Amino acid sequence: INAAAHDGDPCTICGYVAPGEDTHEYQLGDVNHDGKINAKDATLILQSSVGVLKANAKFCEQCAEVSGDGKLNAKDSTLILQFSVGLRDSFPAKK
């Protein structure tokens, strides 16, 4: 319906969510929500940053911004690749 009809929490009946409200459990770096952090996630970020991301691609911006600088770019992609091969064990961004 609208915000006036809800108490601010996600509605379990109609699904209404307040704008900007976090609605899912997520793992930083798992851009496509497949349960893995790998080169596929890094590639999706690069595709998004140059405007060639397929319309039907699973893409979570909240999970993709791992650098903590508020921008989505090649830096995020590089950090994800480093994580995927064991060169880092965490990301600068925090959930």
Side-chain angles (χ1 to χ4, degrees):
I1 301 176
N2 61 32
H6 294 85
D7 62 6
D9 293 327
C11 183
T12 58
I13 297 170
C14 72
Y16 174 83
V17 177
E21 192 170 310
D22 182 11
T23 60
H24 73 288
E25 286 294 318
Y26 63 96
Q27 180 180 13
L28 284 176
D30 185 11
V31 178
N32 59 3
H33 289 187
D34 68 354
K36 303 172 197 160
I37 299 173
N38 55 29
K40 289 180 183 179
D41 300 298
T43 300
L44 288 170
I45 292 171
L46 293 175
Q47 290 173 341
S48 174
S49 68
V50 296
V52 296
L53 185 67
K54 294 180 182 176
N56 64 345
K58 284 188 175 183
F59 186 82
C60 175
E61 285 188 33
Q62 190 173 15
C63 300
E65 206 293 286
V66 297
S67 67
D69 65 3
K71 301 173 188 171
L72 194 55
N73 53 35
K75 183 177 182 179
D76 299 292
S77 181
T78 300
L79 290 168
I80 287 173
L81 286 172
Q82 290 172 343
F83 183 91
S84 73
V85 297
L87 294 176
R88 66 174 40 252
D89 60 0
S90 64
F91 297 113
K94 303 296 178 216
K95 277 174 66 169

